[in-house]
Amino acid sequence: MKTTNIKLIKVIVCSLSLLSLSSYAECIVSEHAIFPQEQGSINFWQQLIRNSDDNSLAIFWDQGNCSISKGPHDGGKAPDKGNGSTLHITIEDGFRTCHVFNQKNSELRTLTTCNP
């Protein structure tokens, strides 16, 4: 019984350690990426990336393998299922350039477009 309790405690401690490590995963922010306060904080946009409807980008965010190259800005093409707003940030994941919009789809995932 005592051995089972010790094993259970070890599993819980390991699980909590993994959870705390994963909370540090996010995109690196370029020194050139400006985040005007009225357009959302870096943390606000990090959560939008984490919840991206592009699963690959969400995985890169989890692994800390992405960088925000440009903070909130307008321009480009709004996502097809969006509300017409073009406010977004630009992300590089090592393979593609992605635009993460401050808009959600019907599943409440963040609308994202990536090229190629």
Side-chain angles (χ1 to χ4, degrees):
M1 179 74 169
K2 190 173 185 177
T3 304
T4 303
N5 288 342
I6 292 172
K7 286 182 180 179
L8 182 59
I9 290 170
K10 286 181 180 179
V11 168
I12 291 170
V13 169
C14 287
S15 298
L16 291 174
S17 296
L18 289 174
L19 285 174
S20 66
L21 287 175
S22 67
S23 67
Y24 291 104
E26 58 186 26
C27 290
I28 297 166
V29 182
S30 161
E31 63 185 49
H32 304 293
I34 298 168
F35 286 81
Q37 191 170 14
E38 68 275 7
Q39 293 178 330
S41 69
I42 292 171
N43 290 338
F44 169 79
W45 286 95
Q46 290 278 10
Q47 291 309 305
L48 291 178
I49 300 166
R50 178 182 189 219
N51 194 39
S52 173
D53 65 355
D54 183 281
N55 289 329
S56 295
L57 184 59
I59 290 169
F60 281 111
W61 185 93
D62 255 351
Q63 297 171 344
N65 291 328
C66 51
S67 63
I68 300 172
S69 57
K70 193 168 184 183
H73 59 283
D74 287 310
K77 181 179 180 278
D80 294 335
K81 297 179 183 176
N83 63 15
S85 171
T86 62
L87 183 66
H88 66 282
I89 59 173
T90 303
I91 313 295
E92 308 290 332
D93 68 12
F95 303 100
R96 306 169 302 162
T97 298
C98 298
H99 303 283
V100 175
F101 293 82
N102 182 10
Q103 301 177 47
K104 305 276 185 179
N105 64 17
S106 58
E107 291 89 37
L108 300 178
R109 303 277 309 271
T110 308
L111 294 177
T112 305
T113 59
C114 295
N115 294 315

